[in-house]
Amino acid sequence: MADDANLAADLRDLLAAGRKIEAIKRYREATGVGLAEAKSVIDELIEKLARGAPRPADASGESDFEQEIVSLLEQGRKIAAIKVYRERTGAGLKEAKEAVEAVAANRGIVAPSRSGCLGLLLFAWMIGLYWLFLTPR
């Protein structure tokens, strides 16, 4: 039973660090299951973590690294958060994106909508085209 708890803790730590492939390898080594089953189990664990399942915390509470990620997400700078995550952990793009999105989901951080000027310009352009070509003269 202690081995199961250690395995679960190891997997959570690997996933928190954005190291999904290593988590899959670790799970396969510990259980002897095939690649597809191991990937399925790890994907399920990622979903649980994203929904806010408890994860081990260090003695100091929230790390500076996680706070930096949260701060960037709160500023609407998801790409910068992914970049920082990749630089600090060495994770691949997909793993870093999943990890940053899991942090955002755990914190309830929603990315701001950014239609901005481009959306307004496209709308004005379409109105102009309609007026130019489809209005009777």
Side-chain angles (χ1 to χ4, degrees):
M1 192 55 111
D3 289 337
D4 290 342
N6 289 338
L7 176 60
D10 287 349
L11 294 175
R12 279 192 222 94
D13 290 344
L14 287 168
L15 293 173
R19 296 170 22 203
K20 180 179 177 182
I21 294 171
E22 289 180 50
I24 292 170
K25 288 178 182 177
R26 172 76 173 95
Y27 186 77
R28 287 187 72 197
E29 290 170 357
T31 63
V33 299
L35 179 60
E37 185 178 349
K39 184 180 180 313
S40 175
V41 168
I42 297 302
D43 287 341
E44 185 177 318
L45 182 56
I46 289 171
E47 288 177 25
K48 286 180 182 177
L49 291 172
R51 286 192 305 261
R55 62 185 188 276
D58 60 356
S60 66
E62 185 176 278
S63 69
D64 291 337
F65 171 59
E66 185 173 352
Q67 184 54 42
E68 183 178 2
I69 298 297
V70 169
S71 176
L72 289 168
L73 288 170
E74 288 173 341
Q75 296 171 31
R77 299 179 58 205
K78 181 178 174 183
I79 293 172
I82 292 169
K83 183 178 179 181
V84 167
Y85 191 94
R86 290 186 73 194
E87 289 171 353
R88 293 269 190 98
T89 65
L93 180 59
K94 183 178 181 196
E95 291 82 10
K97 180 180 178 285
E98 289 172 352
V100 167
E101 287 174 346
V103 169
N106 286 338
R107 298 297 184 100
I109 301 170
V110 179
S113 174
R114 295 187 173 225
S115 61
C117 294
L118 181 59
L120 184 59
L121 286 173
L122 287 174
F123 179 74
W125 181 72
M126 290 180 69
I127 296 286
L129 286 176
Y130 175 80
W131 181 80
L132 185 65
F133 293 110
L134 299 176
T135 55
R137 299 197 191 238

